[in-house]
Amino acid sequence: LKTAQTFMLDKAMKEALLANLSLAVNTAKGDDKYYSRYDFSTTYVRPGKWNSTWNVGLAWYWMSYSKAATKRDDKNITISAGLSKPIKDWMTWGLTGNFSSNSSNIESNAYSKYVLMTTATFNYSK
Protein backbone atom coordinates (compact mmCIF):
# COMPACT_ATOMS: atom_id res chain seq x y z
CA LEU A 1 0.00 0.00 0.00
CA LYS A 2 1.63 3.24 -1.12
CA THR A 3 0.77 6.85 -1.82
CA ALA A 4 2.90 9.52 -3.45
CA GLN A 5 1.79 13.15 -3.42
CA THR A 6 3.19 16.24 -5.12
CA PHE A 7 2.31 19.65 -3.72
CA MET A 8 3.11 22.64 -5.92
CA LEU A 9 4.08 25.53 -3.65
CA ASP A 10 4.05 28.45 -6.08
CA LYS A 11 1.83 29.66 -8.93
CA ALA A 12 4.61 29.18 -11.50
CA MET A 13 4.73 25.48 -10.46
CA LYS A 14 8.51 25.50 -10.07
CA GLU A 15 8.68 24.82 -6.32
CA ALA A 16 7.37 21.53 -4.96
CA LEU A 17 7.11 19.31 -1.92
CA LEU A 18 7.01 15.57 -2.64
CA ALA A 19 5.66 13.21 0.01
CA ASN A 20 5.56 9.41 0.08
CA LEU A 21 3.97 7.07 2.58
CA SER A 22 3.88 3.27 2.35
CA LEU A 23 3.22 0.03 4.16
CA ALA A 24 4.61 -3.25 2.87
CA VAL A 25 4.17 -6.74 4.23
CA ASN A 26 6.44 -9.45 2.85
CA THR A 27 4.57 -12.73 3.35
CA ALA A 28 7.38 -14.92 2.06
CA LYS A 29 7.57 -18.55 3.14
CA GLY A 30 9.73 -18.95 6.20
CA ASP A 31 9.33 -16.93 9.36
CA ASP A 32 12.83 -15.43 9.06
CA LYS A 33 11.84 -13.77 5.74
CA TYR A 34 8.46 -12.40 6.86
CA TYR A 35 8.53 -8.65 7.65
CA SER A 36 6.44 -5.51 7.72
CA ARG A 37 7.87 -2.17 6.67
CA TYR A 38 6.63 1.40 7.11
CA ASP A 39 8.13 4.20 4.99
CA PHE A 40 7.83 7.97 4.97
CA SER A 41 9.79 10.43 2.85
CA THR A 42 9.59 14.04 1.84
CA THR A 43 11.62 16.07 -0.64
CA TYR A 44 11.63 19.81 -1.28
CA VAL A 45 12.55 20.89 -4.84
CA ARG A 46 13.04 24.35 -6.29
CA PRO A 47 14.94 26.22 -8.99
CA GLY A 48 18.31 27.72 -8.15
CA LYS A 49 20.67 30.18 -9.74
CA TRP A 50 22.14 29.71 -13.21
CA ASN A 51 19.25 27.56 -14.47
CA SER A 52 19.91 24.87 -11.85
CA THR A 53 17.50 22.88 -9.68
CA TRP A 54 18.23 21.78 -6.12
CA ASN A 55 16.54 19.50 -3.62
CA VAL A 56 16.75 18.37 0.00
CA GLY A 57 15.07 15.32 1.40
CA LEU A 58 14.38 13.25 4.47
CA ALA A 59 13.41 9.57 4.42
CA TRP A 60 12.61 7.19 7.27
CA TYR A 61 11.61 3.57 7.51
CA TRP A 62 10.94 0.96 10.17
CA MET A 63 11.19 -2.72 9.27
CA SER A 64 10.12 -5.45 11.68
CA TYR A 65 10.87 -9.16 11.33
CA SER A 66 8.29 -10.08 13.95
CA LYS A 67 8.13 -13.83 13.22
CA ALA A 68 11.87 -14.49 13.03
CA ALA A 69 13.54 -16.81 15.54
CA THR A 70 15.39 -13.73 16.78
CA LYS A 71 13.00 -10.78 16.40
CA ARG A 72 14.64 -7.96 14.46
CA ASP A 73 13.68 -4.28 14.24
CA ASP A 74 15.52 -1.90 11.91
CA LYS A 75 15.01 1.85 11.82
CA ASN A 76 16.65 3.90 9.09
CA ILE A 77 16.87 7.62 8.46
CA THR A 78 18.41 9.22 5.37
CA ILE A 79 19.13 12.89 4.72
CA SER A 80 19.83 13.87 1.11
CA ALA A 81 20.62 16.88 -1.04
CA GLY A 82 21.04 17.25 -4.78
CA LEU A 83 21.75 19.72 -7.54
CA SER A 84 21.24 19.45 -11.31
CA LYS A 85 22.21 21.90 -14.03
CA PRO A 86 21.89 21.84 -17.80
CA ILE A 87 25.36 22.16 -19.33
CA LYS A 88 24.20 22.11 -22.97
CA ASP A 89 20.77 21.68 -24.59
CA TRP A 90 21.53 17.97 -24.81
CA MET A 91 23.30 17.39 -21.46
CA THR A 92 22.42 17.82 -17.77
CA TRP A 93 24.92 17.34 -14.94
CA GLY A 94 23.87 16.28 -11.46
CA LEU A 95 25.38 15.87 -8.00
CA THR A 96 23.68 14.02 -5.13
CA GLY A 97 24.81 13.34 -1.61
CA ASN A 98 23.20 11.54 1.29
CA PHE A 99 23.81 10.20 4.75
CA SER A 100 22.00 7.11 6.08
CA SER A 101 21.93 5.73 9.59
CA ASN A 102 20.42 2.30 10.23
CA SER A 103 19.83 1.21 13.81
CA SER A 104 18.89 -2.36 14.67
CA ASN A 105 18.46 -4.52 17.72
CA ILE A 106 20.79 -6.98 15.90
CA GLU A 107 24.16 -5.21 16.06
CA SER A 108 25.47 -6.68 12.79
CA ASN A 109 22.60 -4.93 10.93
CA ALA A 110 23.41 -1.45 12.31
CA TYR A 111 25.41 0.86 10.05
CA SER A 112 25.95 4.41 8.83
CA LYS A 113 26.98 5.37 5.32
CA TYR A 114 27.70 8.39 3.17
CA VAL A 115 27.08 8.48 -0.57
CA LEU A 116 28.26 11.10 -3.06
CA MET A 117 27.29 10.56 -6.69
CA THR A 118 27.59 12.56 -9.87
CA THR A 119 25.52 11.94 -12.99
CA ALA A 120 25.28 13.08 -16.58
CA THR A 121 22.06 12.79 -18.57
CA PHE A 122 22.10 13.03 -22.35
CA ASN A 123 19.17 13.82 -24.64
CA TYR A 124 19.32 12.79 -28.29
CA SER A 125 16.60 13.49 -30.82
CA LYS A 126 16.47 13.83 -34.61
Side-chain angles (χ1 to χ4, degrees):
L1 182 63
K2 181 177 185 176
T3 184
Q5 305 297 318
T6 301
F7 302 97
M8 303 311 296
L9 302 176
D10 65 335
K11 290 184 181 185
M13 298 182 71
K14 293 184 177 183
E15 188 176 2
L17 185 66
L18 314 169
N20 297 288
L21 184 63
S22 70
L23 164 63
V25 177
N26 181 22
T27 57
K29 291 184 180 178
D31 288 343
D32 285 347
K33 303 296 182 195
Y34 178 94
Y35 66 81
S36 56
R37 177 174 167 155
Y38 305 89
D39 285 87
F40 170 77
S41 67
T42 185
T43 303
Y44 174 72
V45 182
R46 69 166 290 137
K49 294 184 179 185
W50 307 293
N51 199 28
S52 66
T53 302
W54 63 269
N55 65 74
V56 293
L58 178 67
W60 172 86
Y61 74 78
W62 171 45
M63 183 181 287
S64 178
Y65 292 83
S66 60
K67 294 183 178 182
T70 302
K71 186 175 188 254
R72 177 177 147 200
D73 285 310
D74 290 358
K75 293 178 183 156
N76 183 291
I77 189 162
T78 300
I79 300 167
S80 62
L83 175 71
S84 65
K85 175 164 178 29
I87 304 300
K88 300 281 186 185
D89 289 343
W90 50 271
M91 180 183 164
T92 301
W93 169 80
L95 180 66
T96 300
N98 69 48
F99 169 75
S100 295
S101 177
N102 194 78
S103 62
S104 178
N105 63 313
I106 309 292
E107 191 171 326
S108 61
N109 290 311
Y111 63 87
S112 294
K113 71 177 179 178
Y114 296 90
V115 175
L116 184 61
M117 178 175 56
T118 187
T119 60
T121 305
F122 302 93
N123 182 18
Y124 173 77
S125 61
K126 288 186 176 185

